[in-house]
Amino acid sequence: MSRQKKFILPESEIPKTWYNVMADIPEPLPPVIHPGTLQPIGPDDLAPLFPMPLIEQEVTTERFVPIPDEVLDVYAMWRPTPLIRASGLEAHLQTPAHIYYKYEGTSPSGSHKPNTAVPQAYYNKITGVKALTTETGAGQWGSALAMATNHFGLSCEVYMVKISYHQKPYRRSLMQTFGATVTPSPSSLTQAGRQMLERDPDSPGSLGVAISEAVEVAATSGGAKKYALGSVLNHVMLHQTVIGEEVIKQVEMTGEYPDVMIGCVGGGSNFSGFVFPFVRENLVNNRKTRFVAVEPMASPSLTKGRYVYDFGDTMQMTPMMKMYTLGHSFIPAPIHAGGLRYHGMSPIVCHLYDLGLIEAVAVHQTAVFEAAVTFARSEGIIPAPESAHAIRTTIDEALKCKESGEEKVIIFNLSGHGHFDMAAYDAYFSGQLHDYEYPSAAVEKALSQLPQIA
Ligand SMILES: *Cc1c(COP(=O)(O)O)cnc(C)c1O
């Protein structure tokens, strides 16, 4: 029993820069398009929603972006996060694979989301913004932003997807503890919400609708409020690379190098932050790591979506991005991994997927919960249902190694803990959780409503 379990970096090793994969990709990212003019948008188009430092980060091609000291001070509350050898899971599976996980559940709100919530609150603060609006699915992003805005003295208004608002009441309490106001979406407070309720009074809501509401409130506030997004956008992927930059140092401590890296994808941010520094190693230093993005079968944008221009929100208020999309009007089934219920995907992740630099798979939720329970019982950590998608695919890869006898090194990102998701575990244990088949008819219908861009 001499195998090392945890690989812990000292606080002085928190990365001082974020990594921008745009500096190294072989082809530039397709531009974001203004829905009115159909021309690429400029900084002025985004200025009503975001402060200028974030707009600059959205388009920069600098390879490394310095992390401000004020942000590093807050990161130091929980960073660096541990890289952990999944020795219990390896023994349980009897696999020759070496499995590790990066654990982002040690943050104040229990996921990777504060990695971007903190800098977003910070840049808004230093540019004089007083209030932020946002959406949240399972409540992870809302909790993270509530914590961050509270730290920097901003107020915070959260539109929470209605199904999650009811499934996860304690996430709401967490946001309220940090001083945020939380409204179930669709709500009657916005035009977007009222329109949605007219279409379907019983709408469970979706990230796409909640984004419309939060964007509308910021855009019509006359500059008093700005909007913050927890995933999808380039600056969010950038901030999350603090994860992978730590993993780069931690794999050195293990003396191994990953053959496969696995992360779940909703909007793509934890996966991006975890793998982009290793994508750089593939592109620049000829490494050969495989990167697997795992999505839910109920909302499989990469594996089943179309790579076209679409809106980021349901009510067509955002600029149009080229992404793998199921159609902005598609409302995913109410699976328990609320953070993965999104019709689109980060344009950078989509671009890398299109270029063949990363892979994707879709999995069903009962298989995901089976993996979550196996992991909890062998490693002692209860994973968020979102993160458990990555565990499912990790177990599948490890079982393939068992068959082939290969000693592969597999690392996955455990994006958060599941302490606020016990109702979902309850549903699983009582046999009430079922799989949603890929909703091909609903997706076909949503895809027929895509904007027509040449
Ligand atoms: C929000 C969330 C996700 C999904 O969002 P990404 O931007 O794809 O990372 C995954 N895991 C957890 C724990 C989350 O809170």
Side-chain angles (χ1 to χ4, degrees):
M1 186 40 226
S2 60
R3 187 188 275 172
Q4 192 174 343
K5 182 75 179 165
K6 296 193 299 303
F7 298 86
I8 309 260
L9 294 165
E11 208 170 291
S12 57
E13 291 291 323
I14 299 175
K16 303 294 181 293
T17 55
W18 293 299
Y19 167 63
N20 182 10
V21 76
M22 309 249 257
D24 291 313
I25 46 181
E27 285 172 41
L29 198 64
V32 174
I33 300 280
H34 190 287
T37 63
L38 299 187
Q39 295 301 309
I41 58 161
D44 290 349
D45 296 308
L46 293 174
L49 294 183
F50 303 106
M52 210 38 85
L54 289 176
I55 295 174
E56 283 161 12
Q57 290 182 356
E58 192 60 21
V59 295
T60 183
T61 52
E62 282 296 308
R63 181 169 280 111
F64 292 102
V65 175
I67 306 178
D69 283 342
E70 292 83 347
V71 172
L72 287 170
D73 282 344
V74 189
Y75 276 179
M77 284 167 64
W78 74 95
R79 305 212 70 86
T81 62
L83 180 75
I84 303 174
R85 178 88 183 253
S87 43
L89 182 63
E90 285 174 24
H92 173 80
L93 298 174
Q94 297 186 305
T95 174
H98 295 188
I99 307 174
Y100 298 83
Y101 54 98
K102 176 70 166 167
Y103 186 38
E104 287 294 306
T106 59
S107 80
S109 58
S111 80
H112 65 289
K113 298 269 187 359
N115 297 333
T116 184
V118 171
Q120 289 195 46
Y122 168 75
Y123 290 117
N124 275 288
K125 168 77 178 181
I126 61 166
T127 51
V129 177
K130 300 282 186 266
L132 289 180
T133 70
T134 198
E135 73 293 323
T136 196
Q140 285 274 20
W141 168 241
S143 316
L145 193 68
M147 184 277 288
T149 48
N150 176 67
H151 179 88
F152 289 109
L154 307 176
S155 61
C156 184
E157 211 173 293
V158 183
Y159 290 83
M160 184 172 188
V161 174
K162 195 175 277 173
I163 170 112
S164 297
Y165 185 90
H166 295 298
Q167 274 175 351
K168 302 187 181 181
Y170 298 125
R171 273 275 165 212
R172 188 203 323 153
S173 315
L174 187 51
M175 290 182 258
Q176 288 164 339
T177 304
F178 287 118
T181 56
V182 187
T183 305
S185 165
S187 80
S188 53
L189 299 185
T190 66
Q191 198 171 340
R194 288 190 294 273
Q195 260 177 350
M196 196 62 217
L197 288 171
E198 251 167 58
R199 268 191 224 166
D200 178 8
D202 299 322
S203 168
S206 71
L207 279 172
V209 176
I211 293 173
S212 301
E213 294 207 88
V215 165
E216 179 183 324
V217 172
T220 57
S221 71
K225 302 172 184 178
K226 299 245 188 241
Y227 167 71
L229 187 60
S231 189
V232 182
L233 298 179
N234 303 346
H235 65 264
V236 180
M237 306 301 127
L238 177 76
H239 299 156
Q240 291 295 353
T241 59
V242 68
I243 303 173
E245 290 296 351
E246 285 180 6
V247 179
I248 291 261
K249 300 183 192 190
Q250 286 165 311
V251 294
E252 233 169 82
M253 296 166 76
T254 69
E256 306 202 276
Y257 197 83
D259 296 299
V260 191
M261 293 178 79
I262 300 169
C264 65
V265 285
S269 73
N270 86 85
F271 174 79
S272 297
F274 175 56
V275 309
F276 283 0
F278 288 85
V279 171
R280 172 186 70 221
E281 294 305 305
N282 274 18
L283 291 170
V284 177
N285 290 324
N286 257 323
R287 293 284 195 171
K288 298 277 185 282
T289 305
R290 286 172 53 216
F291 307 105
V292 186
V294 189
E295 52 187 15
M297 197 63 87
S299 187
S301 24
L302 286 173
T303 51
K304 303 273 191 176
R306 205 173 286 164
Y307 191 37
V308 290
Y309 274 96
D310 195 7
F311 295 97
D313 71 320
T314 304
M315 306 315 271
Q316 314 185 7
M317 301 177 60
T318 69
M320 292 187 295
M321 297 169 287
K322 189 166 184 193
M323 57 183 179
Y324 283 87
T325 177
L326 300 165
H328 59 270
S329 60
F330 175 69
I331 307 260
I335 53 165
H336 279 277
L340 307 184
R341 293 180 66 237
Y342 184 59
H343 66 272
M345 182 60 63
S346 147
I348 308 185
V349 170
C350 295
H351 188 53
L352 296 183
Y353 184 60
D354 190 54
L355 293 173
L357 300 173
I358 63 172
E359 305 167 29
V361 294
V363 293
H364 276 302
Q365 72 170 349
T366 52
V368 164
F369 274 86
E370 187 200 325
V373 172
T374 299
F375 181 79
R377 290 182 184 170
S378 52
E379 290 295 322
I381 297 175
I382 296 180
E386 291 84 359
S387 321
H389 285 68
I391 300 175
R392 175 72 267 164
T393 298
T394 297
I395 291 177
D396 292 343
E397 288 283 336
L399 291 176
K400 274 188 229 160
C401 289
K402 184 176 178 176
E403 243 166 60
S404 65
E406 282 171 294
E407 225 178 71
K408 281 189 186 162
V409 177
I410 306 172
I411 312 186
F412 74 89
N413 195 36
L414 186 55
S415 52
H417 67 64
H419 296 177
F420 291 91
D421 301 286
M422 297 320 292
Y425 281 84
D426 261 1
Y428 174 67
F429 291 127
S430 61
Q432 283 162 10
L433 209 68
H434 56 277
D435 289 335
Y436 293 93
E437 279 314 312
Y438 167 63
S440 51
V443 171
E444 274 313 308
K445 176 154 179 257
L447 288 177
S448 73
Q449 294 164 357
L450 284 172
Q452 299 301 311
I453 308 290

